[in-house]
């Protein structure tokens, strides 16, 4: 009796993909947490952080990034230092949290290496 290797290969590939995406999710969450610690006023007052799944987008252009950088968000410092705007796709990560009794949500856009937050809203 011959055993087909196709189901085994598919299963291994799916597991590898799952582990890779979990690693990206964790890296993005850690980068966003560090960004918040560096740039939010009273970041110690944040509780109940809840992250959505990481995603990618091509719909963010330079002018939208500049607009988000200019507007910032309530509770964040006004003069945040950002990395240079990368070319290509960006990752985004939504975070819902409680700050001073209010439930808030922000979306953070990260470079393709998940090393820098390039903008948020």
């Amino acid at each position: 009796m011959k055993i087909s290797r196709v189901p085994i290969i598919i299963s291994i590939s799916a597991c590898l993909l799952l582990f890779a995406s979990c690693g990206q999710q964790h890296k993005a969450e850690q980068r966003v947490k560090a960004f918040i610690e560096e740039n939010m006023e009273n970041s110690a007052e944040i509780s109940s952080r809840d992250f959505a799944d990481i995603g990618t987008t091509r719909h963010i252009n330079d002018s939208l990034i500049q607009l988000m950088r200019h507007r910032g968000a309530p509770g964040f410092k006004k003069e945040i230092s950002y990395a240079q705007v990368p070319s290509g796709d960006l990752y985004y990560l939504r975070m819902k949290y409680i700050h001073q009794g209010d439930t808030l949500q922000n979306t953070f856009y990260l470079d393709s290496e998940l090393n820098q937050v390039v903008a948020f809203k």
Side-chain angles (χ1 to χ4, degrees):
M1 175 164 75
K2 256 186 166 177
I3 298 175
S4 174
R5 294 182 187 191
V6 174
I8 294 170
I9 292 171
I10 291 172
S11 297
I12 290 172
S13 297
C15 287
L16 290 174
L17 185 60
L18 176 66
F19 289 130
S21 65
C22 289
Q24 286 182 321
Q25 179 76 27
H26 178 74
K27 186 175 181 180
E29 288 178 13
Q30 294 306 309
R31 184 60 222 139
V32 167
K33 287 178 184 178
F35 179 84
I36 289 169
E37 293 297 320
E38 295 168 17
N39 297 297
M40 185 176 218
E41 300 167 354
N42 304 319
S43 63
E45 297 178 16
I46 291 179
S47 63
S48 183
R49 292 180 183 158
D50 183 33
F51 289 97
D53 290 339
I54 191 171
T56 60
T57 183
R58 296 176 189 212
H59 302 291
I60 303 297
N61 57 33
D62 289 347
S63 60
L64 286 173
I65 288 174
Q66 295 306 323
L67 182 62
M68 283 188 277
R69 288 178 173 184
H70 177 72
R71 286 186 180 166
F76 284 84
K77 297 175 184 175
K78 300 298 178 204
E79 298 297 321
I80 296 174
S81 176
Y82 294 97
Q84 189 172 10
V85 178
S87 60
D89 294 350
L90 295 175
Y91 284 96
Y92 65 90
L93 184 63
R94 289 188 184 99
M95 183 182 86
K96 187 183 284 188
Y97 57 99
I98 298 174
H99 183 258
Q100 297 178 340
D102 293 327
T103 301
L104 304 171
Q105 178 175 307
N106 293 106
T107 302
F108 299 86
Y109 295 90
L110 298 102
D111 64 9
S112 61
E113 301 298 319
L114 302 174
N115 291 326
Q116 299 288 329
V117 172
V118 297
F120 75 103
K121 60 179 180 177

